[in-house]
Amino acid sequence: MSQDQSYTIEEVAQLLKVSKLTIYDLVKKGDLPVFRVGRQMRVDRADLQAYIQKRKTGTTPAMSPVATSPKNQSKIIISGQDLVLDIVAKYLEKRQTMKVLRSHEGSFNGVMAMYHGDCNIASLHMFDGDTGDYNTPYVKKIFVSHAFVLINVVSRRAGFYVQKGNPLQIHTFEDFKTKSFTFINREKGSGARSLLDEQLRIHEIAPSMIKGYTHEEMSHLDVASAVANGYADVGIGIEKIAKLIPVDFIPAVRERYDIVLLKTPENQQLIEAVKEILNAPDFQAEVAALGDYDISQMGQIMYETL
């Protein structure tokens, strides 16, 4: 099977003229089979055609190899971009009762996907300027009528991507007031965007003062690459990506990277599995070996409803 005979989740959403979250929901329910190429989910063209035909006529298409997984195998969708989530997925799949799929949404979009029932585990790193806290203020408001548990995965440094040598001498958010540069932003709903916007509010900096504020990219990697290639002078993201792209990293904050799960009877087994994995010495050792992660709070409950 070649990739030319398959589609990305985004392409399927465009073809069917629905949102990506709708497609992820079809995948989660087992209605639309997928396979993975690296970190990317793809849909075979024949499976998409079979899905459309079934909905059109009510007939049942022949089962494809992907669709013949055991009926007792749970499908879990984890939302978020950090590499550590791929390791979580690997450990969950080792249990053999869980098929894990990855959605690479930003923090807020991932949490809202969970709110609407489109993912099982959502990661987030959202700074609240009023409290100085990460994540907890947001999930308490979003899930005000839901029982949930917020668990720490790692802490990591976030800051500025600048060109090698930091020629513009960007060091703090105060420099946004006094220095002229071209910025490259993250999309609305991402954790990096919430950090930037909250810091601009705290420092009383109008977004309109920042050249390039409206230019958005969808990942830390894209932002760092844009800076490295000279399309922008400054971007915002996490430290680890700066080890992969030829940019300098200027730390600004240490952020808490958590995951949230809804406390439902259906999720009880999943919650216990995640807790066990995050507190397992072999898992913690594997994450620590990656470097640039603080695992001192890994597995700790940051907030939990009764």
Side-chain angles (χ1 to χ4, degrees):
M1 181 191 306
S2 71
Q3 291 191 40
D4 292 338
Q5 297 175 307
S6 64
Y7 304 102
T8 65
I9 295 297
E10 291 80 2
E11 289 169 340
V12 173
Q14 291 172 2
L15 288 169
L16 298 183
K17 300 186 184 306
V18 297
S19 71
K20 288 193 297 181
L21 294 180
T22 298
I23 304 304
Y24 283 124
D25 188 48
L26 293 176
V27 172
K28 175 184 174 182
K29 293 176 179 177
D31 293 336
L32 187 62
V34 298
F35 65 97
R36 286 191 286 184
V37 179
R39 297 175 64 184
Q40 185 184 72
M41 286 190 288
R42 298 190 71 89
V43 178
D44 181 51
R45 182 168 58 185
D47 288 328
L48 179 59
Q49 291 173 341
Y51 170 80
I52 295 172
Q53 185 66 22
K54 180 180 179 181
R55 292 305 179 277
K56 185 184 297 183
T57 67
T59 60
T60 303
M63 295 282 284
S64 70
V66 178
T68 57
S69 57
K71 291 184 179 180
N72 63 351
Q73 185 181 55
S74 301
K75 289 185 174 66
I76 304 300
I77 295 179
I78 302 177
S79 176
Q81 298 183 357
D82 199 284
L83 175 62
V84 175
L85 299 177
D86 294 328
I87 304 177
V88 172
K90 179 181 71 173
Y91 275 73
L92 282 172
E93 287 194 330
K94 283 182 180 178
R95 295 170 177 259
Q96 298 181 344
T97 59
M98 297 181 183
K99 178 66 177 175
V100 182
L101 304 173
R102 293 280 283 108
S103 166
H104 296 88
E105 296 284 355
S107 293
F108 183 77
N109 293 334
V111 171
M112 291 309 298
M114 172 178 286
Y115 183 88
H116 292 294
D118 293 324
C119 79
N120 307 89
I121 301 173
S123 65
L124 66 162
H125 55 110
M126 299 184 70
F127 175 71
D128 177 63
D130 293 327
T131 63
D133 194 10
Y134 264 87
N135 304 328
T136 307
Y138 290 93
V139 293
K140 287 173 70 175
K141 291 177 181 178
I142 293 171
F143 295 119
V144 65
S145 299
H146 298 73
F148 67 88
V149 58
L150 184 70
I151 310 174
N152 179 250
V153 181
V154 294
S155 294
R156 59 190 191 184
R157 295 200 298 181
F160 310 116
Y161 300 135
V162 298
Q163 294 175 8
K164 283 292 186 180
N166 193 9
L168 297 178
Q169 293 298 297
I170 303 297
H171 296 288
T172 71
F173 286 100
E174 283 291 331
D175 292 327
F176 284 51
K177 288 183 175 180
T178 59
K179 297 184 178 180
S180 177
F181 53 79
T182 300
F183 188 74
I184 187 162
N185 214 342
R186 281 293 304 279
E187 80 280 9
K188 299 176 185 68
S190 66
R193 179 63 171 266
S194 70
L195 172 62
L196 173 71
D197 287 345
E198 285 292 86
Q199 291 290 349
L200 294 182
R201 180 173 66 85
I202 291 169
H203 290 86
E204 299 182 337
I205 303 170
S208 59
M209 296 172 56
I210 303 172
K211 180 181 178 182
Y213 176 85
T214 58
H215 183 176
E216 300 178 354
E217 294 291 346
M218 298 297 291
S219 72
H220 299 296
L221 188 64
D222 290 336
V223 170
S225 295
V227 173
N229 291 323
Y231 298 121
D233 301 307
V234 184
I236 192 165
I238 61 172
E239 180 177 19
K240 191 158 194 64
I241 297 300
K243 304 294 178 68
L244 307 175
I245 303 294
V247 294
D248 282 351
F249 175 77
I250 310 300
V253 299
R254 182 169 291 278
E255 63 178 18
R256 211 180 74 212
Y257 192 74
D258 299 332
I259 54 175
V260 61
L261 299 92
L262 295 180
K263 292 174 63 177
T264 64
E266 297 80 10
N267 269 0
Q268 184 176 354
Q269 179 184 354
L270 177 61
I271 291 172
E272 292 307 314
V274 169
K275 288 180 179 178
E276 291 175 9
I277 288 169
L278 292 177
N279 286 285
D282 55 341
F283 176 84
Q284 294 189 358
E286 186 168 346
V287 173
L290 297 174
D292 303 316
Y293 291 117
D294 177 355
I295 65 168
S296 60
Q297 291 183 298
M298 180 181 284
Q300 289 188 27
I301 306 298
M302 310 312 297
Y303 187 85
E304 183 174 12
T305 58
L306 298 177

